[in-house]
């Protein structure tokens, strides 16, 4: 596994953020990567259902300036897209209760730590990406083209879900990744977090 090194000041800033929200289940959600198949189309839906079920949740959205378009307008979401540096987002993977995202730099950073992770696989497999990551739940769609081991930069470059009126031409490796499966995976980590907080 990789290793990351941060300054004392960087550590202090993030620890202060965690301390201010120490009563919250902090879910760090990487909204997008560098290609079409590195964005999960049901992210907002899953986040909304999960946050309505649990009031002690803080969803921190991370990504670049363009990811602002993907951020959730929900009351318990802390939006940092285009605001936090990549280093700030990466160090947060060390302290969050759960990190979720596709095959992006953020998830590779999370792979350096024992933090619980949900990796939404598209072009890659567990074998060549996250095999040695700890506490990682790898989820993928049951489609024949997954994994393709390619970067998809044009919508016509891979099979799309033409029957989906909402998503239109969206890569099937993401559009066929069941939202309920992702939600249940989040619930499992949340349940473990909650049980650890209960007095024994």
């Amino acid at each position: 596994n990789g290793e990351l090194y941060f300054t004392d000041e960087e550590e202090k800033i993030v620890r202060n953020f965690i301390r201010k929200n120490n009563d919250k289940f902090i879910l760090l959600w990487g909204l997008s990567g560098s290609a079409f198949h590195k964005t999960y189309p049901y992210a907002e839906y899953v986040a909304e259902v999960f946050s309505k079920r649990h009031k002690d949740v803080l969803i921190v959205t991370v990504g670049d300036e363009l990811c602002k378009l993907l951020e959730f307008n929900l009351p318990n979401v802390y939006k940092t897209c285009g605001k936090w540096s990549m280093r700030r987002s990466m160090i947060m993977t060390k302290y969050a209760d759960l990190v979720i995202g596709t095959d992006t730099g953020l998830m590779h950073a999370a792979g350096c730590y024992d933090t619980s992770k949900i990796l939404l696989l598209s072009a890659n497999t567990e074998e060549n990406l996250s095999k040695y990551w700890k506490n990682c739940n790898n989820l993928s769609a049951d489609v024949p083209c997954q994994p393709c081991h390619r970067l998809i930069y044009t919508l016509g470059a891979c099979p799309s879900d033409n029957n989906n009126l909402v998503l239109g031409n969206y890569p099937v490796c993401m559009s066929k990744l069941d939202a309920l499966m992702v939600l249940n995976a989040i619930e499992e980590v949340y349940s473990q977090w909650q049980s650890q907080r209960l007095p024994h």
Side-chain angles (χ1 to χ4, degrees):
N1 289 337
E3 294 183 27
L4 292 170
Y5 301 91
F6 297 98
T7 66
D8 292 341
E9 184 63 23
E10 287 174 312
E11 295 271 2
K12 181 180 177 182
I13 290 169
V14 173
R15 282 198 300 266
N16 285 340
F17 177 85
I18 296 296
R19 195 175 299 115
K20 288 176 184 175
N21 297 284
N22 68 350
D23 59 335
K24 303 287 186 185
F25 176 80
I26 298 177
L27 191 167
L28 190 69
W29 200 311
L31 295 182
S32 186
S34 58
F36 279 114
H37 59 291
K38 296 189 177 190
T39 302
Y40 185 56
Y42 308 114
E44 184 169 4
Y45 168 74
V46 171
E48 182 175 7
V49 172
F50 180 67
S51 61
K52 281 183 176 178
R53 288 180 183 175
H54 311 289
K55 301 305 178 189
D56 55 353
V57 167
L58 179 65
I59 300 173
V60 181
T61 54
V62 294
D64 61 15
E65 192 75 24
L66 282 174
C67 286
K68 286 182 176 181
L69 298 170
L70 302 171
E71 287 188 303
F72 321 135
N73 290 314
L74 301 170
N76 55 345
V77 170
Y78 189 78
K79 301 177 186 180
T80 74
C81 291
K83 298 175 184 174
W84 282 7
S85 68
M86 187 62 178
R87 287 180 64 86
R88 178 82 173 271
S89 299
M90 283 180 162
I91 194 173
M92 269 296 292
T93 69
K94 178 180 177 181
Y95 293 97
D97 297 299
L98 172 62
V99 183
I100 184 169
T102 57
D103 175 9
T104 64
L106 181 80
M107 295 307 293
H108 288 262
C112 298
Y113 305 110
D114 292 346
T115 310
S116 293
K117 295 166 276 293
I118 297 173
L119 176 60
L120 310 177
L121 289 165
S122 55
N124 278 316
T125 63
E126 178 182 352
E127 177 68 26
N128 69 359
L129 180 61
S130 55
K131 182 177 181 177
Y132 300 105
W133 295 0
K134 296 178 181 175
N135 300 322
C136 185
N137 189 350
N138 300 276
L139 303 179
S140 60
D142 184 17
V143 291
C145 55
Q146 198 284 328
C148 66
H149 303 291
R150 299 185 303 148
L151 286 175
I152 307 300
Y153 294 119
T154 59
L155 285 174
C158 66
S160 57
D161 191 359
N162 294 320
N163 294 323
N164 192 314
L165 298 176
V166 177
L167 300 177
N169 292 328
Y170 213 91
V172 291
C173 56
M174 286 287 105
S175 67
K176 296 288 188 180
L177 183 50
D178 186 54
L180 184 58
M181 182 167 64
V182 177
L183 182 59
N184 288 342
I186 297 172
E187 288 284 2
E188 186 177 333
V189 178
Y190 172 80
S191 180
Q192 292 170 358
W193 172 82
Q194 207 174 38
S195 66
Q196 290 169 359
R197 293 172 64 85
L198 294 173
H200 297 291

